[in-house]
Amino acid sequence: LVEAAAFAAGKKNKLGSVTEGNTISDYDKEEIARGFSLHLSVIPVEWKEHKINFLDTPGALDFSGERAQALSAADAAIIVVNGRKKMDEGTFYAWKLCDQYELPRIVFVTGMDDDSASYKDSVLTLKERYSSMIAPFHMPVRKDQRLAGYVDVTTVTAQKYDGVGKYEKMEIPEYCL
């Protein structure tokens, strides 16, 4: 998520990849070898005359101290959930920490460009645990087994991807109504 934000803001000229070991926040040799974050990274991104300091933390429970440090300094949190995997205790612990620090939060489901990902399963798991506190405002749109765009639930509109960071209006698919 931080990688995409930095790319969209023009901080990077190429979108990095964890598997390629060239992301903006996982630059340590050990992080590259393991394929996940081990340390807290501060990534400043300027977007439309605003500076946003992303505090990218490791997701694994083994590194919960890094997460707690970041949240103690944060104004809000984005809990990133991998839509390709079953939700783990790290997600629920992050939610608990947000409660502890009284932080507003959103959940961002990644991996929607992968056929094995399930946005629906992720949302259902969260709703089972947190009931009415979960209110999706975007829903992925798939076409020909590919991520094609999204539906904005708040405005009841749909956008299809038309290149990196570019969108155009589209009809809302029947399955999204």
Side-chain angles (χ1 to χ4, degrees), residues 42-103:
V42 180
I43 311 297
V45 175
E46 292 185 26
W47 183 256
K48 297 184 180 179
E49 300 177 23
H50 298 281
K51 181 179 177 189
I52 302 166
N53 288 315
F54 285 95
L55 305 175
D56 188 20
T57 66
L61 276 175
D62 296 346
F63 306 100
S64 57
E66 300 272 338
R67 194 177 310 150
Q69 285 178 335
L71 291 176
S72 70
D75 295 323
I78 302 171
I79 300 173
V80 180
V81 172
N82 187 337
R84 295 177 294 250
K85 299 178 181 177
K86 184 175 165 63
M87 220 164 289
D88 62 16
E89 287 305 312
T91 301
F92 306 129
Y93 181 70
W95 189 280
K96 184 178 175 181
L97 278 175
C98 288
D99 283 344
Q100 179 182 331
Y101 289 104
E102 299 179 353
L103 291 176

Tab-separated table of all heavy atoms in Angstrom, residues 42-103:
chain	number	residue	atom	x	y	z
A	42	VAL	N	9.528	4.842	8.126
A	42	VAL	CA	8.772	6.083	7.966
A	42	VAL	C	8.921	6.504	6.510
A	42	VAL	O	10.029	6.735	6.036
A	42	VAL	CB	9.279	7.188	8.908
A	42	VAL	CG1	8.472	8.471	8.707
A	42	VAL	CG2	9.227	6.736	10.357
A	43	ILE	N	7.792	6.582	5.812
A	43	ILE	CA	7.794	6.930	4.394
A	43	ILE	C	6.964	8.206	4.205
A	43	ILE	O	5.735	8.163	4.232
A	43	ILE	CB	7.177	5.792	3.530
A	43	ILE	CG1	7.773	4.433	3.888
A	43	ILE	CG2	7.318	6.127	2.053
A	43	ILE	CD1	9.236	4.285	3.638
A	44	PRO	N	7.626	9.359	4.028
A	44	PRO	CA	6.871	10.597	3.772
A	44	PRO	C	6.433	10.645	2.305
A	44	PRO	O	7.222	10.373	1.407
A	44	PRO	CB	7.880	11.700	4.087
A	44	PRO	CG	9.217	11.061	3.931
A	44	PRO	CD	9.054	9.590	4.151
A	45	VAL	N	5.163	10.952	2.109
A	45	VAL	CA	4.610	11.056	0.757
A	45	VAL	C	3.839	12.369	0.668
A	45	VAL	O	3.003	12.659	1.523
A	45	VAL	CB	3.672	9.859	0.439
A	45	VAL	CG1	2.999	10.035	-0.904
A	45	VAL	CG2	4.434	8.544	0.493
A	46	GLU	N	4.136	13.153	-0.359
A	46	GLU	CA	3.395	14.398	-0.574
A	46	GLU	C	2.308	14.145	-1.595
A	46	GLU	O	2.570	13.614	-2.676
A	46	GLU	CB	4.344	15.503	-1.032
A	46	GLU	CG	5.291	15.905	0.075
A	46	GLU	CD	6.174	17.089	-0.277
A	46	GLU	OE1	5.771	17.900	-1.126
A	46	GLU	OE2	7.260	17.179	0.321
A	47	TRP	N	1.080	14.533	-1.242
A	47	TRP	CA	-0.068	14.313	-2.106
A	47	TRP	C	-0.966	15.532	-2.057
A	47	TRP	O	-1.485	15.894	-1.001
A	47	TRP	CB	-0.841	13.068	-1.650
A	47	TRP	CG	-2.000	12.740	-2.522
A	47	TRP	CD1	-3.322	12.963	-2.243
A	47	TRP	CD2	-1.970	12.133	-3.810
A	47	TRP	NE1	-4.098	12.546	-3.277
A	47	TRP	CE2	-3.292	12.030	-4.258
A	47	TRP	CE3	-0.943	11.690	-4.645
A	47	TRP	CZ2	-3.615	11.485	-5.495
A	47	TRP	CZ3	-1.273	11.143	-5.858
A	47	TRP	CH2	-2.592	11.046	-6.266
A	48	LYS	N	-1.126	16.182	-3.201
A	48	LYS	CA	-2.007	17.351	-3.319
A	48	LYS	C	-1.779	18.353	-2.183
A	48	LYS	O	-2.679	18.669	-1.429
A	48	LYS	CB	-3.475	16.908	-3.365
A	48	LYS	CG	-3.797	16.069	-4.572
A	48	LYS	CD	-5.271	15.728	-4.639
A	48	LYS	CE	-5.545	14.891	-5.874
A	48	LYS	NZ	-6.926	14.505	-5.991
A	49	GLU	N	-0.567	18.825	-2.071
A	49	GLU	CA	-0.174	19.847	-1.101
A	49	GLU	C	-0.257	19.386	0.358
A	49	GLU	O	-0.292	20.194	1.275
A	49	GLU	CB	-0.985	21.128	-1.300
A	49	GLU	CG	-0.796	21.720	-2.684
A	49	GLU	CD	-1.652	22.957	-2.912
A	49	GLU	OE1	-2.043	23.613	-1.935
A	49	GLU	OE2	-1.904	23.262	-4.092
A	50	HIS	N	-0.303	18.089	0.587
A	50	HIS	CA	-0.315	17.542	1.941
A	50	HIS	C	0.828	16.541	2.077
A	50	HIS	O	1.108	15.776	1.158
A	50	HIS	CB	-1.635	16.827	2.244
A	50	HIS	CG	-2.822	17.720	2.194
A	50	HIS	ND1	-3.154	18.574	3.220
A	50	HIS	CD2	-3.747	17.913	1.231
A	50	HIS	CE1	-4.246	19.253	2.895
A	50	HIS	NE2	-4.624	18.872	1.686
A	51	LYS	N	1.459	16.559	3.226
A	51	LYS	CA	2.500	15.573	3.506
A	51	LYS	C	1.909	14.516	4.433
A	51	LYS	O	1.381	14.835	5.498
A	51	LYS	CB	3.706	16.220	4.167
A	51	LYS	CG	4.821	15.249	4.446
A	51	LYS	CD	5.999	15.947	5.083
A	51	LYS	CE	7.079	14.964	5.433
A	51	LYS	NZ	8.126	15.600	6.230
A	52	ILE	N	2.003	13.265	4.008
A	52	ILE	CA	1.505	12.140	4.798
A	52	ILE	C	2.714	11.302	5.180
A	52	ILE	O	3.471	10.857	4.313
A	52	ILE	CB	0.512	11.283	3.990
A	52	ILE	CG1	-0.664	12.137	3.514
A	52	ILE	CG2	0.027	10.095	4.816
A	52	ILE	CD1	-1.512	11.477	2.451
A	53	ASN	N	2.916	11.099	6.467
A	53	ASN	CA	3.999	10.243	6.934
A	53	ASN	C	3.425	8.854	7.210
A	53	ASN	O	2.754	8.638	8.217
A	53	ASN	CB	4.640	10.806	8.203
A	53	ASN	CG	5.453	12.037	7.916
A	53	ASN	OD1	6.220	12.081	6.958
A	53	ASN	ND2	5.287	13.053	8.736
A	54	PHE	N	3.677	7.937	6.288
A	54	PHE	CA	3.252	6.553	6.486
A	54	PHE	C	4.237	5.880	7.428
A	54	PHE	O	5.449	5.995	7.253
A	54	PHE	CB	3.232	5.795	5.152
A	54	PHE	CG	2.085	6.136	4.267
A	54	PHE	CD1	2.221	7.095	3.274
A	54	PHE	CD2	0.859	5.496	4.413
A	54	PHE	CE1	1.166	7.415	2.448
A	54	PHE	CE2	-0.211	5.813	3.585
A	54	PHE	CZ	-0.059	6.773	2.604
A	55	LEU	N	3.723	5.191	8.428
A	55	LEU	CA	4.542	4.413	9.345
A	55	LEU	C	4.275	2.947	9.007
A	55	LEU	O	3.292	2.373	9.438
A	55	LEU	CB	4.164	4.719	10.798
A	55	LEU	CG	4.222	6.202	11.200
A	55	LEU	CD1	3.704	6.395	12.618
A	55	LEU	CD2	5.621	6.753	11.056
A	56	ASP	N	5.150	2.378	8.205
A	56	ASP	CA	4.981	1.005	7.728
A	56	ASP	C	5.585	0.054	8.757
A	56	ASP	O	6.776	0.115	9.041
A	56	ASP	CB	5.660	0.847	6.368
A	56	ASP	CG	5.373	-0.496	5.722
A	56	ASP	OD1	4.389	-1.159	6.101
A	56	ASP	OD2	6.143	-0.876	4.820
A	57	THR	N	4.753	-0.812	9.318
A	57	THR	CA	5.199	-1.715	10.376
A	57	THR	C	5.142	-3.169	9.923
A	57	THR	O	4.372	-3.511	9.030
A	57	THR	CB	4.323	-1.575	11.636
A	57	THR	OG1	2.999	-2.024	11.342
A	57	THR	CG2	4.293	-0.150	12.138
A	58	PRO	N	5.940	-4.034	10.566
A	58	PRO	CA	5.827	-5.460	10.269
A	58	PRO	C	4.450	-5.974	10.683
A	58	PRO	O	3.884	-5.524	11.681
A	58	PRO	CB	6.908	-6.096	11.148
A	58	PRO	CG	7.825	-4.982	11.534
A	58	PRO	CD	6.995	-3.740	11.527
A	59	GLY	N	3.920	-6.908	9.911
A	59	GLY	CA	2.609	-7.457	10.227
A	59	GLY	C	2.655	-8.636	11.178
A	59	GLY	O	1.695	-8.904	11.887
A	60	ALA	N	3.780	-9.351	11.218
A	60	ALA	CA	3.885	-10.550	12.050
A	60	ALA	C	3.822	-10.199	13.535
A	60	ALA	O	4.375	-9.187	13.977
A	60	ALA	CB	5.178	-11.288	11.729
A	61	LEU	N	3.159	-11.061	14.304
A	61	LEU	CA	3.031	-10.833	15.744
A	61	LEU	C	4.382	-10.775	16.452
A	61	LEU	O	4.517	-10.127	17.482
A	61	LEU	CB	2.172	-11.937	16.376
A	61	LEU	CG	0.669	-11.730	16.302
A	61	LEU	CD1	-0.066	-12.943	16.838
A	61	LEU	CD2	0.237	-10.488	17.037
A	62	ASP	N	5.394	-11.429	15.916
A	62	ASP	CA	6.724	-11.419	16.521
A	62	ASP	C	7.301	-10.010	16.623
A	62	ASP	O	8.200	-9.763	17.420
A	62	ASP	CB	7.703	-12.269	15.701
A	62	ASP	CG	7.323	-13.733	15.682
A	62	ASP	OD1	6.479	-14.142	16.502
A	62	ASP	OD2	7.872	-14.462	14.849
A	63	PHE	N	6.777	-9.095	15.817
A	63	PHE	CA	7.303	-7.734	15.775
A	63	PHE	C	6.265	-6.720	16.263
A	63	PHE	O	6.220	-5.592	15.797
A	63	PHE	CB	7.753	-7.398	14.349
A	63	PHE	CG	8.731	-8.406	13.798
A	63	PHE	CD1	8.308	-9.389	12.933
A	63	PHE	CD2	10.057	-8.369	14.179
A	63	PHE	CE1	9.195	-10.332	12.434
A	63	PHE	CE2	10.960	-9.303	13.684
A	63	PHE	CZ	10.527	-10.286	12.812
A	64	SER	N	5.450	-7.121	17.219
A	64	SER	CA	4.359	-6.261	17.681
A	64	SER	C	4.862	-4.993	18.367
A	64	SER	O	4.155	-3.994	18.411
A	64	SER	CB	3.408	-7.029	18.591
A	64	SER	OG	4.108	-7.574	19.690
A	65	GLY	N	6.091	-5.006	18.896
A	65	GLY	CA	6.646	-3.804	19.515
A	65	GLY	C	6.801	-2.673	18.518
A	65	GLY	O	6.535	-1.510	18.831
A	66	GLU	N	7.205	-3.018	17.296
A	66	GLU	CA	7.339	-2.009	16.231
A	66	GLU	C	5.972	-1.388	15.925
A	66	GLU	O	5.852	-0.185	15.723
A	66	GLU	CB	7.913	-2.642	14.962
A	66	GLU	CG	9.276	-3.273	15.122
A	66	GLU	CD	10.419	-2.294	14.897
A	66	GLU	OE1	10.206	-1.276	14.233
A	66	GLU	OE2	11.513	-2.576	15.398
A	67	ARG	N	4.956	-2.236	15.891
A	67	ARG	CA	3.604	-1.758	15.600
A	67	ARG	C	3.101	-0.836	16.708
A	67	ARG	O	2.521	0.220	16.431
A	67	ARG	CB	2.673	-2.963	15.438
A	67	ARG	CG	1.358	-2.600	14.813
A	67	ARG	CD	0.475	-3.795	14.599
A	67	ARG	NE	1.182	-4.863	13.923
A	67	ARG	CZ	0.915	-6.157	14.093
A	67	ARG	NH1	-0.048	-6.528	14.886
A	67	ARG	NH2	1.606	-7.078	13.447
A	68	ALA	N	3.324	-1.224	17.961
A	68	ALA	CA	2.883	-0.401	19.092
A	68	ALA	C	3.593	0.949	19.084
A	68	ALA	O	2.963	1.981	19.348
A	68	ALA	CB	3.128	-1.143	20.404
A	69	GLN	N	4.892	0.977	18.777
A	69	GLN	CA	5.630	2.245	18.701
A	69	GLN	C	5.020	3.160	17.647
A	69	GLN	O	4.837	4.353	17.883
A	69	GLN	CB	7.091	1.992	18.347
A	69	GLN	CG	7.911	1.438	19.472
A	69	GLN	CD	9.344	1.176	19.032
A	69	GLN	OE1	9.628	0.965	17.854
A	69	GLN	NE2	10.260	1.193	19.989
A	70	ALA	N	4.722	2.607	16.489
A	70	ALA	CA	4.157	3.417	15.406
A	70	ALA	C	2.799	3.975	15.797
A	70	ALA	O	2.523	5.165	15.592
A	70	ALA	CB	4.048	2.595	14.131
A	71	LEU	N	1.947	3.132	16.347
A	71	LEU	CA	0.598	3.581	16.690
A	71	LEU	C	0.590	4.609	17.816
A	71	LEU	O	-0.299	5.462	17.872
A	71	LEU	CB	-0.292	2.387	17.039
A	71	LEU	CG	-0.633	1.487	15.850
A	71	LEU	CD1	-1.441	0.275	16.304
A	71	LEU	CD2	-1.384	2.252	14.779
A	72	SER	N	1.596	4.568	18.689
A	72	SER	CA	1.650	5.566	19.761
A	72	SER	C	1.917	6.967	19.203
A	72	SER	O	1.621	7.957	19.853
A	72	SER	CB	2.721	5.191	20.792
A	72	SER	OG	4.016	5.348	20.253
A	73	ALA	N	2.470	7.036	17.990
A	73	ALA	CA	2.776	8.327	17.368
A	73	ALA	C	1.808	8.692	16.243
A	73	ALA	O	1.869	9.789	15.704
A	73	ALA	CB	4.193	8.301	16.814
A	74	ALA	N	0.914	7.789	15.890
A	74	ALA	CA	0.048	7.975	14.713
A	74	ALA	C	-1.231	8.747	15.042
A	74	ALA	O	-1.679	8.791	16.184
A	74	ALA	CB	-0.311	6.614	14.123
A	75	ASP	N	-1.807	9.332	13.990
A	75	ASP	CA	-3.101	10.008	14.093
A	75	ASP	C	-4.240	9.097	13.659
A	75	ASP	O	-5.393	9.337	13.990
A	75	ASP	CB	-3.123	11.262	13.212
A	75	ASP	CG	-2.141	12.316	13.687
A	75	ASP	OD1	-1.968	12.468	14.905
A	75	ASP	OD2	-1.532	12.975	12.829
A	76	ALA	N	-3.917	8.085	12.872
A	76	ALA	CA	-4.911	7.137	12.353
A	76	ALA	C	-4.152	5.907	11.860
A	76	ALA	O	-2.916	5.934	11.772
A	76	ALA	CB	-5.713	7.759	11.208
A	77	ALA	N	-4.888	4.853	11.536
A	77	ALA	CA	-4.230	3.621	11.087
A	77	ALA	C	-4.943	3.036	9.880
A	77	ALA	O	-6.162	3.168	9.728
A	77	ALA	CB	-4.212	2.593	12.218
A	78	ILE	N	-4.154	2.391	9.052
A	78	ILE	CA	-4.674	1.584	7.954
A	78	ILE	C	-4.210	0.158	8.247
A	78	ILE	O	-3.011	-0.110	8.283
A	78	ILE	CB	-4.130	2.030	6.584
A	78	ILE	CG1	-4.455	3.488	6.323
A	78	ILE	CG2	-4.695	1.124	5.482
A	78	ILE	CD1	-3.765	4.058	5.090
A	79	ILE	N	-5.152	-0.729	8.491
A	79	ILE	CA	-4.826	-2.129	8.734
A	79	ILE	C	-4.912	-2.834	7.387
A	79	ILE	O	-5.979	-2.886	6.778
A	79	ILE	CB	-5.780	-2.767	9.764
A	79	ILE	CG1	-5.685	-2.027	11.101
A	79	ILE	CG2	-5.464	-4.257	9.926
A	79	ILE	CD1	-6.712	-2.459	12.132
A	80	VAL	N	-3.782	-3.330	6.925
A	80	VAL	CA	-3.711	-3.960	5.605
A	80	VAL	C	-3.919	-5.466	5.768
A	80	VAL	O	-3.235	-6.118	6.550
A	80	VAL	CB	-2.368	-3.666	4.915
A	80	VAL	CG1	-2.302	-4.332	3.553
A	80	VAL	CG2	-2.174	-2.157	4.779
A	81	VAL	N	-4.894	-5.989	5.012
A	81	VAL	CA	-5.253	-7.396	5.063
A	81	VAL	C	-5.013	-7.991	3.679
A	81	VAL	O	-5.408	-7.410	2.672
A	81	VAL	CB	-6.750	-7.550	5.444
A	81	VAL	CG1	-7.210	-8.975	5.319
A	81	VAL	CG2	-7.000	-7.014	6.836
A	82	ASN	N	-4.376	-9.144	3.639
A	82	ASN	CA	-4.121	-9.830	2.376
A	82	ASN	C	-5.355	-10.662	2.022
A	82	ASN	O	-5.670	-11.631	2.708
A	82	ASN	CB	-2.888	-10.725	2.505
A	82	ASN	CG	-2.468	-11.331	1.191
A	82	ASN	OD1	-3.259	-11.471	0.262
A	82	ASN	ND2	-1.218	-11.706	1.111
A	83	GLY	N	-6.040	-10.291	0.943
A	83	GLY	CA	-7.249	-10.992	0.508
A	83	GLY	C	-6.987	-12.394	-0.006
A	83	GLY	O	-7.916	-13.166	-0.229
A	84	ARG	N	-5.710	-12.757	-0.173
A	84	ARG	CA	-5.356	-14.104	-0.648
A	84	ARG	C	-5.199	-15.090	0.494
A	84	ARG	O	-5.052	-16.278	0.268
A	84	ARG	CB	-4.050	-14.053	-1.443
A	84	ARG	CG	-4.139	-13.252	-2.722
A	84	ARG	CD	-2.792	-13.187	-3.412
A	84	ARG	NE	-1.841	-12.425	-2.608
A	84	ARG	CZ	-1.374	-11.227	-2.933
A	84	ARG	NH1	-1.753	-10.654	-4.043
A	84	ARG	NH2	-0.525	-10.604	-2.163
A	85	LYS	N	-5.166	-14.585	1.725
A	85	LYS	CA	-4.916	-15.442	2.880
A	85	LYS	C	-6.023	-15.311	3.913
A	85	LYS	O	-6.728	-14.310	3.959
A	85	LYS	CB	-3.593	-15.055	3.544
A	85	LYS	CG	-2.387	-15.212	2.649
A	85	LYS	CD	-1.142	-14.774	3.372
A	85	LYS	CE	0.090	-14.898	2.490
A	85	LYS	NZ	1.286	-14.413	3.165
A	86	LYS	N	-6.125	-16.320	4.745
A	86	LYS	CA	-7.047	-16.259	5.880
A	86	LYS	C	-6.511	-15.213	6.852
A	86	LYS	O	-5.304	-15.103	7.058
A	86	LYS	CB	-7.104	-17.638	6.541
A	86	LYS	CG	-8.077	-17.744	7.661
A	86	LYS	CD	-8.117	-19.193	8.146
A	86	LYS	CE	-8.761	-19.377	9.462
A	86	LYS	NZ	-10.074	-19.091	9.690
A	87	MET	N	-7.394	-14.429	7.432
A	87	MET	CA	-6.991	-13.390	8.357
A	87	MET	C	-6.327	-14.020	9.579
A	87	MET	O	-6.791	-15.027	10.084
A	87	MET	CB	-8.207	-12.568	8.776
A	87	MET	CG	-7.908	-11.113	8.860
A	87	MET	SD	-9.395	-10.138	8.903
A	87	MET	CE	-9.991	-10.321	7.251
A	88	ASP	N	-5.241	-13.402	10.049
A	88	ASP	CA	-4.513	-13.983	11.173
A	88	ASP	C	-4.615	-13.101	12.419
A	88	ASP	O	-5.214	-12.033	12.399
A	88	ASP	CB	-3.059	-14.235	10.802
A	88	ASP	CG	-2.305	-12.956	10.450
A	88	ASP	OD1	-2.791	-11.856	10.763
A	88	ASP	OD2	-1.214	-13.065	9.871
A	89	GLU	N	-4.010	-13.580	13.488
A	89	GLU	CA	-4.062	-12.867	14.765
A	89	GLU	C	-3.380	-11.505	14.697
A	89	GLU	O	-3.698	-10.625	15.476
A	89	GLU	CB	-3.447	-13.724	15.878
A	89	GLU	CG	-4.336	-14.885	16.294
A	89	GLU	CD	-5.734	-14.449	16.714
A	89	GLU	OE1	-5.867	-13.502	17.528
A	89	GLU	OE2	-6.702	-15.050	16.221
A	90	GLY	N	-2.446	-11.330	13.768
A	90	GLY	CA	-1.793	-10.033	13.613
A	90	GLY	C	-2.786	-8.932	13.279
A	90	GLY	O	-2.684	-7.806	13.771
A	91	THR	N	-3.775	-9.269	12.459
A	91	THR	CA	-4.816	-8.305	12.097
A	91	THR	C	-5.633	-7.919	13.320
A	91	THR	O	-5.893	-6.734	13.572
A	91	THR	CB	-5.751	-8.906	11.022
A	91	THR	OG1	-4.977	-9.247	9.883
A	91	THR	CG2	-6.844	-7.928	10.640
A	92	PHE	N	-6.031	-8.919	14.093
A	92	PHE	CA	-6.871	-8.665	15.262
A	92	PHE	C	-6.091	-7.918	16.353
A	92	PHE	O	-6.642	-7.081	17.062
A	92	PHE	CB	-7.458	-9.968	15.783
A	92	PHE	CG	-8.188	-10.746	14.714
A	92	PHE	CD1	-7.917	-12.074	14.488
A	92	PHE	CD2	-9.147	-10.130	13.909
A	92	PHE	CE1	-8.582	-12.787	13.502
A	92	PHE	CE2	-9.813	-10.821	12.915
A	92	PHE	CZ	-9.524	-12.148	12.713
A	93	TYR	N	-4.791	-8.200	16.447
A	93	TYR	CA	-3.953	-7.493	17.408
A	93	TYR	C	-3.805	-6.025	17.005
A	93	TYR	O	-3.846	-5.129	17.853
A	93	TYR	CB	-2.582	-8.158	17.529
A	93	TYR	CG	-1.691	-7.485	18.534
A	93	TYR	CD1	-1.962	-7.566	19.903
A	93	TYR	CD2	-0.590	-6.738	18.122
A	93	TYR	CE1	-1.151	-6.933	20.820
A	93	TYR	CE2	0.226	-6.103	19.041
A	93	TYR	CZ	-0.053	-6.201	20.388
A	93	TYR	OH	0.743	-5.566	21.297
A	94	ALA	N	-3.658	-5.769	15.705
A	94	ALA	CA	-3.569	-4.388	15.225
A	94	ALA	C	-4.846	-3.624	15.576
A	94	ALA	O	-4.793	-2.471	16.000
A	94	ALA	CB	-3.325	-4.370	13.714
A	95	TRP	N	-5.993	-4.284	15.410
A	95	TRP	CA	-7.278	-3.657	15.754
A	95	TRP	C	-7.316	-3.322	17.239
A	95	TRP	O	-7.715	-2.230	17.641
A	95	TRP	CB	-8.423	-4.594	15.378
A	95	TRP	CG	-9.765	-3.954	15.489
A	95	TRP	CD1	-10.491	-3.759	16.632
A	95	TRP	CD2	-10.552	-3.406	14.436
A	95	TRP	NE1	-11.684	-3.129	16.349
A	95	TRP	CE2	-11.734	-2.904	15.002
A	95	TRP	CE3	-10.365	-3.308	13.059
A	95	TRP	CZ2	-12.730	-2.315	14.245
A	95	TRP	CZ3	-11.362	-2.716	12.313
A	95	TRP	CH2	-12.532	-2.223	12.900
A	96	LYS	N	-6.862	-4.277	18.063
A	96	LYS	CA	-6.847	-4.088	19.517
A	96	LYS	C	-5.948	-2.909	19.898
A	96	LYS	O	-6.295	-2.109	20.771
A	96	LYS	CB	-6.375	-5.379	20.191
A	96	LYS	CG	-6.410	-5.352	21.686
A	96	LYS	CD	-5.973	-6.712	22.241
A	96	LYS	CE	-5.883	-6.667	23.743
A	96	LYS	NZ	-5.446	-7.951	24.301
A	97	LEU	N	-4.787	-2.795	19.257
A	97	LEU	CA	-3.895	-1.665	19.520
A	97	LEU	C	-4.543	-0.340	19.134
A	97	LEU	O	-4.387	0.663	19.834
A	97	LEU	CB	-2.576	-1.829	18.777
A	97	LEU	CG	-1.523	-2.725	19.416
A	97	LEU	CD1	-0.325	-2.876	18.491
A	97	LEU	CD2	-1.077	-2.177	20.759
A	98	CYS	N	-5.263	-0.346	18.027
A	98	CYS	CA	-5.969	0.881	17.621
A	98	CYS	C	-7.002	1.270	18.667
A	98	CYS	O	-7.168	2.458	18.964
A	98	CYS	CB	-6.633	0.700	16.256
A	98	CYS	SG	-5.472	0.654	14.884
A	99	ASP	N	-7.693	0.279	19.240
A	99	ASP	CA	-8.623	0.560	20.341
A	99	ASP	C	-7.875	1.159	21.526
A	99	ASP	O	-8.312	2.150	22.116
A	99	ASP	CB	-9.334	-0.721	20.795
A	99	ASP	CG	-10.452	-1.157	19.871
A	99	ASP	OD1	-10.908	-0.344	19.039
A	99	ASP	OD2	-10.876	-2.327	19.976
A	100	GLN	N	-6.740	0.556	21.857
A	100	GLN	CA	-5.941	1.008	23.001
A	100	GLN	C	-5.506	2.458	22.835
A	100	GLN	O	-5.561	3.234	23.785
A	100	GLN	CB	-4.724	0.104	23.150
A	100	GLN	CG	-3.805	0.472	24.286
A	100	GLN	CD	-2.589	-0.448	24.342
A	100	GLN	OE1	-2.646	-1.599	23.943
A	100	GLN	NE2	-1.482	0.083	24.835
A	101	TYR	N	-5.077	2.839	21.632
A	101	TYR	CA	-4.618	4.205	21.380
A	101	TYR	C	-5.734	5.120	20.882
A	101	TYR	O	-5.489	6.267	20.519
A	101	TYR	CB	-3.456	4.200	20.378
A	101	TYR	CG	-2.185	3.634	20.963
A	101	TYR	CD1	-1.765	2.359	20.642
A	101	TYR	CD2	-1.424	4.379	21.860
A	101	TYR	CE1	-0.601	1.823	21.190
A	101	TYR	CE2	-0.265	3.864	22.410
A	101	TYR	CZ	0.142	2.589	22.075
A	101	TYR	OH	1.288	2.065	22.617
A	102	GLU	N	-6.958	4.595	20.860
A	102	GLU	CA	-8.145	5.348	20.438
A	102	GLU	C	-7.959	5.972	19.060
A	102	GLU	O	-8.246	7.149	18.842
A	102	GLU	CB	-8.509	6.407	21.478
A	102	GLU	CG	-8.844	5.812	22.835
A	102	GLU	CD	-9.193	6.847	23.884
A	102	GLU	OE1	-9.063	8.061	23.628
A	102	GLU	OE2	-9.617	6.427	24.973
A	103	LEU	N	-7.483	5.155	18.120
A	103	LEU	CA	-7.215	5.633	16.770
A	103	LEU	C	-8.325	5.264	15.800
A	103	LEU	O	-8.803	4.123	15.809
A	103	LEU	CB	-5.914	5.016	16.245
A	103	LEU	CG	-4.621	5.475	16.892
A	103	LEU	CD1	-3.449	4.692	16.326
A	103	LEU	CD2	-4.410	6.963	16.680
